[in-house]
Amino acid sequence: MTLQASDGFAFGWNAYSTYLQDDYRVTNRLTLNLGIRWEAESPRREIRNRQSDFNLKSLALDYAGQNGYPETLHDGNWFNFAPRVGFAYSLTRDSRTVVRGAYGVFYLTANTEEGQTNFTTGPWNRTYSFASLNSGVSFPITLRNGLPAMSFNDPFTLSLLTGVAWLPRTYPTGYMQQWNINIQRDIRGTLLQTGYSGTKGTHLRLTYDLNQVPVNLIGPGESQSRRPYPAVGGITATKSPVGGSTYHAVQSRFERRLSKGLSF
């Protein structure tokens, strides 16, 4: 049974960004698009500091804004600069054959890294377990006797049933690199295009259970004592920057331009 604060959670963060961009015509055939973008987010805050992080050294919860712990669960990254470069080059004097290319960096939000467990683990959210006195024959709670006493003033302690979360204090912001190059040819109103595009993700989020039984200790019988942290249940860990992704593609396009804006 779960006892949760009636006023719930209220959290937010600030996002900042600015950019510079300009088009530079080098020659009659070559045009460059140059730009740079700066992005930053303040770490997530909950207005009543209802966030927690499991301390792997003390084996206790650190609460946001208490006992010298910051009001945020991670530090902000304030130096996220994202360059953007593009070009268009005409291979022929009539500008009917053009090569185009671009490259850019795009940052991802960091404030989804904490997840829900950081909200749900703490004195403001309690889980009670009541055992049946006759091995499950009857339900441990009856309407005649009412609900057992439960209060937010009860001491909050970690147990084997408690799921906690761990988040590293510092980690880089995830980002995507995107690039493409293509060649276009206009043949009497028909556009032919073929090209290559790619994407690479870096510092992507990876979530896993930090409190799993090591492979060399897996076996029959009771397993809790073989966990790295046997005093608690699962530990939802957000580990960065180990996640990554890659994507490559060859793309072609055919477009026939007709009259009055009609095309296919």
Side-chain angles (χ1 to χ4, degrees), residues 229-242:
Y229 304 92
V232 296
I235 302 177
T236 302
T238 300
K239 188 175 183 180
S240 183
V242 298

Side-chain angles (χ1 to χ4, degrees), residues 3 7 15 27 31 35 50 64 72 76 102 113 127 146 182 197 228 237 257:
L3 184 64
D7 48 2
T27 68
T31 300
R50 289 175 178 171
T72 62
E113 302 285 354
T127 299
N182 62 71
S197 64
R257 298 169 185 169

